[in-house]
């Protein structure tokens, strides 16, 4: 029995997997069990923000593993304090709650918004407005928050109290404000096709929320921690949401979720109102602290922006490419004639890992990818697109 057969015998078939068994990785290249190498333009869907087994990151994680791997949240740990302080200082928030995933972080944000409104206004003002084409997670609550009909099936009944406004349509949002306690949005809709929101629209949403004491929640699970060339994508838009959620690249490949709240919302969740057994796990905190130290180093985020522009320029020069969307190293490629699924499969055969988002090829390379690695990967992709 080979590895894939052994895997499929015991693991639920909830993913459309490719026939690749990843054995090990170094820098931005992984190796399969047969020794074939692959350049990684996907970083585990934006999670391996420093590539595979970055030396300083691995040293920090392994050092923590040898000290203490877990303790319950009845107690304190130095590493969680250090990570929380670094994260809040970098992002400009008062306090953070740690969970294990983006869905958990978004669940926390939803609970904060509803409790904030309940504490101040009582029952009945609990609606969360999200955007059509959004994606916020796989739990029942975050699936309910997701503004894509394709996800609203099978698991009935879904969680009530969500409404979906058309992206970049401020009048549609205004029409749905009655009973709302929060608006939740992604500045770049990743799973929805790597589509950035209009800046004027975001500004208007922020003003409406402020005028009506409606909380603004930013889901930066995919856009955060330097992915767009700024620590938070909100910085591109000149806004500071009441709540921001992070996950994916935050700990460099170790499971973590974070829900950050400003002073207005920082004390909403009190003892016993929320929790997570593994939230703030010391290993994840060590990985997160190492990531923050790297992405906030002088010149790092500027390089991310520059590499994003480099990708865009190279891709737009390819005849098969109709358009390139996204911000920084969060890139969507719309093709003229070829199927994105076929391109991703062909790239895998050639030793390049790509992603998809709807009909687009999606790139989420590690933030510290080198220009040599970019060129090697783009050469493979260009040859496939020109074939």
């Amino acid at each position: 029995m080979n590895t894939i057969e052994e895997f499929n015998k015991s693991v639920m078939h909830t993913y459309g997997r490719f026939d690749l068994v990843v054995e090990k990785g170094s820098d931005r290249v992984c190796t399969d069990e047969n020794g074939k190498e692959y350049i990684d333009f996907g970083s585990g869907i934006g999670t391996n923000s420093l590539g595979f087994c970055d030396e300083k990151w691995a040293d920090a994680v392994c050092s923590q593993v040898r000290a203490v791997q877990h303790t319950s949240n009845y107690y304190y740990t130095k590493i969680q304090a250090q990570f929380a302080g670094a994260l809040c200082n970098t992002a400009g928030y008062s306090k953070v709650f740690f969970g294990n995933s983006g869905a958990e972080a978004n669940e926390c944000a939803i609970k904060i918004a509803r409790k904030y409104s309940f504490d101040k206004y009582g029952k009945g003002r609990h609606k969360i407005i999200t955007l059509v084409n959004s994606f916020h997670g796989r739990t029942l609550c975050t699936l309910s928050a997701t503004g894509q009909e394709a996800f609203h099936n099978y698991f009935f009944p879904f969680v009530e109290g969500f409404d979906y406004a058309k992206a970049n349509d401020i009048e549609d949002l205004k029409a749905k404000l009655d009973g709302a306690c929060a608006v939740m949005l992604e500045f770049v809709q990743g799973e929805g096709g790597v589509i950035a929101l209009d800046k004027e629209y975001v500004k208007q949403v922020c003003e409406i929320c402020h005028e009506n004491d409606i909380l603004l929640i930013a889901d930066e699970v995919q856009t955060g921690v330097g992915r767009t060339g700024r620590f938070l994508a909100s910085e591109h838009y000149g806004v500071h949401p009441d709540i921001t959620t992070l996950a994916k690249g935050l700990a460099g490949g170790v499971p973590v979720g974070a829900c950050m709240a400003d002073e207005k919302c920082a004390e909403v969740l009190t003892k016993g109102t929320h929790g997570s057994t593994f939230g703030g796990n010391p290993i994840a905190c060590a990985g997160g602290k190492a990531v923050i130290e790297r992405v906030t180093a002088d010149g790092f985020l500027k390089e991310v922006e520059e590499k994003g522009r480099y990708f865009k320029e190279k891709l737009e020069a390819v005849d098969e490419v109709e358009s390139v969307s996204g911000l920084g190293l969060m890139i969507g490629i719309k093709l003229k004639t070829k199927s994105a699924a076929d391109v991703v499969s062909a790239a895998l055969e050639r030793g390049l890992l790509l992603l998809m988002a709807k009909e687009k090829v999606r790139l989420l390379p590690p933030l510290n990818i080198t220009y040599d690695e970019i060129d090697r990967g783009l050469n493979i992709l260009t040859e496939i697109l020109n074939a």
Side-chain angles (χ1 to χ4, degrees):
M1 185 184 297
N2 64 31
T3 300
I4 293 175
E5 290 170 341
E6 182 182 7
F7 191 101
N8 288 333
K9 182 180 178 182
S10 302
V11 179
M12 290 185 186
H13 301 167
T14 57
Y15 302 98
R17 299 180 190 269
F18 292 97
D19 290 340
L20 167 61
V21 179
V22 178
E23 188 77 12
K24 59 183 179 179
S26 178
D27 298 326
R28 275 63 56 187
V29 176
C30 68
T31 307
D32 70 15
E33 60 181 352
N34 299 313
K36 181 178 176 180
E37 293 187 340
Y38 300 80
I39 299 169
D40 187 11
F41 274 12
S43 64
I45 315 184
T47 298
N48 293 342
S49 47
L50 301 177
F52 292 103
C53 308
D54 175 83
E55 188 174 350
K56 290 183 179 179
W57 174 88
D59 286 346
V61 170
C62 290
S63 176
Q64 185 59 53
V65 170
R66 294 188 181 97
V68 58
Q69 82 276 27
H70 179 73
T71 184
S72 80
N73 283 309
Y74 286 125
Y75 315 113
Y76 300 90
T77 61
K78 183 182 290 186
I79 188 63
Q80 186 175 160
Q82 293 172 342
F83 178 36
L87 179 57
C88 288
N89 288 338
T90 301
Y93 282 89
S94 299
K95 284 187 169 61
V96 61
F97 175 88
F98 290 122
N100 307 290
S101 67
E104 260 201 64
N106 286 337
E107 291 262 357
C108 181
I110 290 165
K111 289 177 75 171
I112 290 174
R114 287 183 171 171
K115 188 171 185 297
Y116 171 86
S117 187
F118 180 90
D119 290 346
K120 195 168 182 179
Y121 301 102
K123 289 183 179 180
R125 189 181 184 273
H126 60 260
K127 183 168 70 175
I128 311 280
I129 300 172
T130 66
L131 300 186
V132 173
N133 209 40
S134 62
F135 182 83
H136 297 295
R138 295 281 187 174
T139 65
L140 269 175
C141 184
T142 52
L143 271 180
S144 303
T146 292
Q148 296 188 54
E149 268 312 307
F151 291 101
H152 297 162
N153 204 357
Y154 308 123
F155 310 113
F156 305 103
F158 284 91
V159 179
E160 68 168 349
F162 292 94
D163 204 352
Y164 317 104
K166 297 174 185 175
N168 300 318
D169 186 339
I170 200 67
E171 296 304 319
D172 191 44
L173 178 79
K174 289 178 180 178
K176 294 176 166 66
L177 288 178
D178 188 44
C181 66
V183 174
M184 186 175 189
L185 52 78
E186 306 154 280
F187 294 106
V188 184
Q189 294 183 328
E191 302 299 326
V194 199
I195 302 169
L197 297 181
D198 294 343
K199 288 188 176 182
E200 182 59 30
Y201 173 76
V202 171
K203 180 183 176 183
Q204 290 177 313
V205 171
C206 195
E207 290 171 351
I208 288 169
C209 287
H210 180 72
E211 290 167 2
N212 294 278
D213 197 21
I214 292 170
L215 298 183
L216 180 61
I217 302 171
D219 177 344
E220 295 229 30
V221 167
Q222 193 169 134
T223 58
V225 200
R227 174 55 56 187
T228 66
R230 308 286 173 88
F231 189 77
L232 297 177
S234 59
E235 296 172 44
H236 290 284
Y237 289 83
V239 300
H240 184 77
D242 301 292
I243 301 168
T244 290
T245 60
L246 299 171
K248 290 195 181 294
L250 179 56
V254 182
V256 70
C259 178
M260 302 181 296
D262 64 9
E263 190 174 334
K264 181 175 173 179
C265 305
E267 305 297 339
V268 169
L269 294 180
T270 53
K271 291 178 184 178
T273 57
H274 196 49
S276 175
T277 297
F278 289 101
N281 174 270
I283 300 169
C285 289
K289 182 171 176 283
V291 168
I292 290 175
E293 288 171 354
R294 291 287 289 285
V295 302
T296 57
D298 286 345
F300 188 95
L301 291 177
K302 183 181 179 183
E303 282 193 14
V304 171
E305 277 197 294
E306 290 170 352
K307 289 170 187 173
R309 285 194 290 270
Y310 185 77
F311 263 108
K312 192 170 188 287
E313 289 169 6
K314 292 287 186 180
L315 289 165
E316 287 179 337
V318 179
D319 186 60
E320 172 60 23
V321 173
E322 182 172 319
S323 62
V324 181
S325 61
L327 287 173
L329 290 177
M330 186 175 183
I331 300 164
I333 309 167
K334 187 175 183 180
L335 305 176
K336 293 178 181 176
T337 63
K338 295 184 185 294
S339 155
D342 290 344
V343 170
V344 171
S345 295
L348 183 70
E349 291 292 322
R350 298 279 300 275
L352 176 64
L353 304 184
L354 304 174
L355 300 167
M356 285 180 57
K358 295 203 175 240
E359 81 286 355
K360 294 180 180 178
V361 174
R362 176 170 47 156
L363 310 183
L364 296 171
L367 303 181
N368 59 346
I369 192 168
T370 66
Y371 282 99
D372 176 64
E373 291 161 338
I374 293 172
D375 287 339
R376 285 161 56 200
L378 284 178
N379 285 341
I380 294 171
L381 178 56
T382 301
E383 287 176 6
I384 292 168
L385 294 178
N386 286 336

